[in-house]
Amino acid sequence: MKHSTTEGKITLVMRTKNAAWVVGQALSALFSQERRDFELLVVDSGSTDATLDIVGRYPCRLVKIQAQEYFPGLVLNMAIREARGDLIVFQNSDTVPLTPTALDQLVSPIERGEADATFARQLPRPEAHTWVRRDYAAAFPEHGEAPPWMAYSLPFAAMTRAAWQKHAFYEDAWGSEDTEWGYWARRNGLRVRYVPEALVMHSHNYTLRQLYGRRFIEGEADAFILEERPSLRRFVRRTGASWARDALAHVAARDLPGLALALPRRLVYHWAHLRGQRLGDQRRRSGNRDASQGQRVVLERQ
């Protein structure tokens, strides 16, 4: 039985920007869910394509901000304050639920009182590169628990308003707001549950330029989240280990072009993280609260 969209028990927050290539799939899958007791709150940060035309075909509340105003933690906190529901669900505009029960599977542990927050299993897109498939298989297993380093993941996730009130999304750096929240929640006794039955499709085939931007901001954020100092020795060790795992995966998949790119990709991946971590470490130690440099690095490479 489908629930009314006007009950407002759940607020689903979707952030958009130039997602016309996929947001229609995401919204169609959302409004095909068996659960319909939600309001949709869309925050758009300056789309210039057909995103808003597509969004306008669905019942929602729309908040528009300028691209330069977009800082993930700040925007999420603003959206939750605007939300009418006491159960907050997050769905990225490029995340497509794969079953009509995905939303119900996601929120059921919270409604049963078994969790304060949940996150879904993400499957890569059909066109995902071999190394992306390997990474997703490690991060989002078919059964059991997610690995300890996958503390929380917002592409499809839920939490109670009460859990958010205990700890809002951090705004110290531009990225990894979900990771920081997940680590904090687990350290402070909140129940964060991985729900592999809640299936969604979400992945990115980043170019090397895009990958640099994403990993730079993750490195900056990790300096705040983990308070881990940057280390060249760690950079070398992690690059070698991840390249070896990628190489094995590409050989098994008979993906020779991917194998040829494996080493340069992982060099960019870990070097960008190291550079971002250096910036974050400097900011943290000096008390510098200006997160705009990391923002520029990632936005210039989108």
Side-chain angles (χ1 to χ4, degrees), residues 19 21-22 30 56-58 72 97 105 108 118 138 156 159 173 177 213 255 257 261 263 267 271 289 293 299:
W21 64 278
V22 69
L30 172 63
R57 300 170 193 164
Y58 294 86
Q105 296 277 10
S108 287
T118 58
F156 200 58
M159 66 172 61
E177 69 288 344
D255 180 2
L261 283 172
L263 182 56
L267 282 168
W271 180 249
R289 300 187 61 82
Q293 183 173 342
L299 293 182

Side-chain angles (χ1 to χ4, degrees), residues 90-208:
F90 308 96
Q91 180 183 345
N92 283 9
S93 59
D94 61 350
T95 299
V96 180
L98 294 176
T99 69
T101 61
L103 178 58
D104 190 54
Q105 296 277 10
L106 182 72
V107 301
S108 287
I110 297 175
E111 293 180 322
R112 292 194 301 265
E114 299 169 0
D116 301 295
T118 58
F119 64 104
R121 182 183 177 208
Q122 299 173 39
L123 298 181
R125 302 184 192 282
E127 68 274 15
H129 293 163
T130 300
W131 71 278
V132 175
R133 293 179 178 278
R134 188 193 70 77
D135 279 1
Y136 272 64
F140 304 105
E142 183 176 0
H143 303 289
E145 300 295 326
W149 46 266
M150 182 52 67
Y152 197 52
S153 186
L154 281 183
F156 200 58
M159 66 172 61
T160 64
R161 180 182 293 275
W164 171 79
Q165 288 171 336
K166 291 179 180 177
H167 185 67
F169 288 106
Y170 91 131
E171 302 173 6
D172 294 313
W174 198 88
S176 298
E177 69 288 344
D178 47 1
T179 301
E180 191 277 340
W181 194 91
Y183 276 120
W184 183 92
R186 292 171 190 270
R187 286 196 303 265
N188 288 274
L190 272 67
R191 299 161 300 169
V192 181
R193 181 170 168 182
Y194 170 60
V195 187
E197 299 83 10
L199 285 175
V200 298
M201 181 174 63
H202 172 261
S203 64
H204 297 278
N205 286 336
Y206 289 125
T207 65
L208 292 182

Side-chain angles (χ1 to χ4, degrees), residues 208-218 297-298 301:
L208 292 182
R209 179 179 175 84
Q210 292 169 331
L211 184 62
Y212 183 97
R214 298 303 307 181
R215 288 294 290 168
F216 184 96
I217 59 168
E218 288 173 1
V297 169
V298 68
R301 289 164 173 79

